[in-house]
Amino acid sequence: GAGVSQSPRYKVAKRGQDVALRCDPISGHVSLFWYQQALGQGPEFLTYFQNEAQLDKSGLPSDRFFAERPEGSVSTLKIQRTQQEDSAVYLCASSSLDRGHAFFGQGTRLTVV
Amino acid sequence: DAKTTQPPSMDCAEGRAANLPCNHSTISGNEYVYWYRQIHSQGPQYIIHGLKNNETNEMASLIITEDRKSSTLILPHATLRDTAVYYCIVRVVNNDMRFGAGTRLTVKP
């Protein structure tokens, strides 16, 4: 596709449930970023990949959060045993190495009830 | 840990230039200044970036001071559709990218 695609767009999870959020970056983009955005706040960095290598995961808030990009394209952000404070919009972005600026998806809005 | 400081909010009259300031006093020599904006319920949108020279594209102009410690994003003729949160970010190209709180720009008729 032409842009970064995220699915699902909306997810409602019961507290304690595991969720998986998918990101399809722009074809050929080497870099991939995940962010968490709470209501009224700026995006908070979670993790960053170059190809399949996870170069920085310092923003993941706990060991319940896990991200992978096994073949260097599609990425999945997994949250185990979801809690109410995990409710947020999860944004994915990708960029090529030569241009540097990132393109964002529309995000997945996660609501934990 | 955003490394930039922006005013929380600004207003601008429709048709006038909107000048959004950003302080980045600890910027390193290999860090670029990037600007993004986020319209309600959408993902952030890239606007412009620069290293030390002023830059212009179809959306905006970026003015970076000679010491590189601050910059200004200029929207030359603001429209109501430019109402958004504007983020100034400093980063090394192809490194991770961290957002601050941004400036909420409201364009008024």
Side-chain angles (χ1 to χ4, degrees):
Chain A
V4 178
S5 178
Q6 292 187 246
S7 59
R9 284 295 313 279
Y10 303 92
K11 175 71 179 176
V12 178
K14 291 185 178 178
R15 189 163 39 177
Q17 188 179 354
D18 297 350
V19 298
L21 311 180
R22 178 186 169 104
C23 174
D24 282 84
I26 292 172
S27 178
H29 276 192
V30 168
S31 300
L32 186 144
F33 309 82
W34 281 100
Y35 294 86
Q36 179 190 61
Q37 187 170 27
L39 193 62
Q41 306 293 316
E44 290 285 340
F45 172 81
L46 293 177
T47 188
Y48 164 59
F49 290 86
Q50 263 196 27
N51 297 305
E52 68 278 4
Q54 190 173 19
L55 298 187
D56 188 340
K57 56 181 180 180
S58 62
L60 296 176
S62 77
D63 58 8
R64 297 186 296 104
F65 286 71
F66 171 77
E68 60 182 4
R69 194 186 184 198
E71 297 178 358
S73 57
V74 171
S75 177
T76 304
L77 176 67
K78 297 180 179 177
I79 310 173
Q80 296 177 322
R81 306 181 302 282
T82 52
Q83 300 177 6
Q84 277 194 309
E85 61 262 31
D86 300 334
S87 295
V89 174
Y90 290 85
L91 293 163
C92 175
S94 70
S95 69
S96 61
L97 278 180
D98 60 339
R99 296 298 299 277
H101 64 266
F103 296 82
F104 281 79
Q106 293 284 70
T108 294
R109 181 177 296 279
L110 172 67
T111 304
V112 181
V113 297
Chain B
D1 195 15
K3 297 188 180 183
T4 61
T5 304
Q6 299 178 253
S9 64
M10 292 182 64
D11 290 343
C12 177
E14 188 178 19
R16 298 293 193 121
N19 297 287
L20 292 94
C22 180
N23 286 322
H24 32 78
S25 58
T26 61
I27 191 170
S28 302
N30 61 347
E31 286 182 316
Y32 285 69
V33 180
Y34 284 77
W35 283 84
Y36 285 78
R37 73 180 182 184
Q38 189 172 26
I39 296 169
H40 183 61
S41 298
Q42 297 183 20
Q45 175 192 23
Y46 166 80
I47 302 172
I48 198 167
H49 75 284
L51 183 63
K52 53 185 177 180
N53 297 322
N54 297 339
E55 301 288 342
T56 296
N57 63 20
E58 65 279 3
M59 289 183 70
S61 295
L62 173 60
I63 309 297
I64 303 174
T65 58
E66 196 168 337
D67 63 8
R68 303 209 321 125
K69 293 186 176 181
S70 65
S71 61
T72 301
L73 178 75
I74 301 172
L75 307 178
H77 306 286
T79 72
L80 299 178
R81 286 177 293 181
D82 292 322
T83 292
V85 179
Y86 287 76
Y87 297 98
C88 168
I89 299 162
V90 295
R91 67 183 281 244
V92 176
V93 174
N94 300 319
N95 210 338
D96 61 49
M97 187 166 61
R98 313 238 174 182
F99 288 74
T103 295
R104 181 172 299 277
L105 174 69
T106 303
V107 180
K108 299 187 172 179

